[in-house]
């Protein structure tokens, strides 16, 4: 609590970190869904990972430099704000909390690694399927699922931008997964089959 600066409510589409701008804060997503992304000069966007409640934001950026990535809310939500400059003091005074922050950062890196494997080696249907299973499992651990159902606020464009696919290919992959009885995604909800 002494490390915490304040809490902020954000609306859907609100920026937590603006791409190309310097931030002197670190954040924890308390409520809602968000995503980390990087834009190309031609306007295309690569979603690096999706953020769920409890995820720590900003540790990947270099202290005192402009952020190469942006972080944006998918839904309305709430973040906890921490001063970046006090991070070293936190590690010194609360080593167990420092370890937890290091673990969160390493876990976030594993998620990005898994996305890279999907984009680089899996076919379109496998990419979308793995993304949805991954998000369902993470949500299940947080108690956000109801049996085989998850309220999933992602659009097909979010999935396409995360998996390096066109919107048309994403749509066809979702239809094929649905036809096979593996995944039933509809705007706002996801049900996993067998």
């Amino acid at each position: 609590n002494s490390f915490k600066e304040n809490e902020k409510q954000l609306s859907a589409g609100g920026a937590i970190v603006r791409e190309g701008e310097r931030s002197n804060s670190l954040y924890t997503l308390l409520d809602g869904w968000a995503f980390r992304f990087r834009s190309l000069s031609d306007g295309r966007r690569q979603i690096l990972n999706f953020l769920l409640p409890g995820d720590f934001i900003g540790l990947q950026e270099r202290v005192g430099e402009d952020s190469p990535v942006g972080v944006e809310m998918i839904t309305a939500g709430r973040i906890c704000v921490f001063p970046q400059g006090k991070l070293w003091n936190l590690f010194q005074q609360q080593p167990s909390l420092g370890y937890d922050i290091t673990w969160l950062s390493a876990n976030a890196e594993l998620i990005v690694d898994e996305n890279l494997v999907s984009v680089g080696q899996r076919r379109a249907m496998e990419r979308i399927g793995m993304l949805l299973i991954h998000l369902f499992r993470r949500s299940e651990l947080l108690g956000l699922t109801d049996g085989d159902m998850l309220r999933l606020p992602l659009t097909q464009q979010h999935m396409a931008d995360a998996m390096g696919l066109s919107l048309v290919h994403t749509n066809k992959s979702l239809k094929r997964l649905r036809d096979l009885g593996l995944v039933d995604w509809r705007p706002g909800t996801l049900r996993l089959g067998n």
Side-chain angles (χ1 to χ4, degrees), residues 56 59-60 99-113:
F56 200 65
L59 207 53
Q60 300 84 357
Y99 176 82
D100 289 344
I101 291 171
T102 303
W103 184 90
L104 286 170
S105 181
N107 192 53
E109 187 175 331
L110 288 175
I111 291 168
V112 173
D113 290 352

Side-chain angles (χ1 to χ4, degrees), residues 59-73:
L59 207 53
Q60 300 84 357
E61 282 58 73
R62 290 188 173 155
V63 176
E65 293 186 16
D66 294 345
S67 178
V69 302
V71 181
E72 182 178 304
M73 295 299 297

Side-chain angles (χ1 to χ4, degrees), residues 39-56:
S39 300
L40 299 176
S41 60
D42 64 4
R44 289 178 293 161
R45 169 181 78 179
Q46 177 66 49
I47 292 179
L48 303 169
N49 62 327
F50 294 99
L51 304 169
L52 300 176
D55 284 345
F56 200 65

Side-chain angles (χ1 to χ4, degrees), residues 9-10 60 78 83 108 126 128 131 140 142 177 188:
Q9 289 287 138
L10 295 170
Q60 300 84 357
R78 188 168 49 104
E126 294 171 327
I128 297 296
L131 173 67
E140 192 173 41
L142 295 170
L177 287 166

Side-chain angles (χ1 to χ4, degrees), residues 77-103:
R78 188 168 49 104
I79 59 172
C80 187
V81 183
F82 303 100
Q84 197 178 54
K86 292 184 179 179
L87 185 62
W88 181 245
N89 290 342
L90 176 76
F91 274 77
Q92 289 177 320
Q93 295 169 6
Q94 300 285 330
S96 63
L97 189 55
Y99 176 82
D100 289 344
I101 291 171
T102 303
W103 184 90

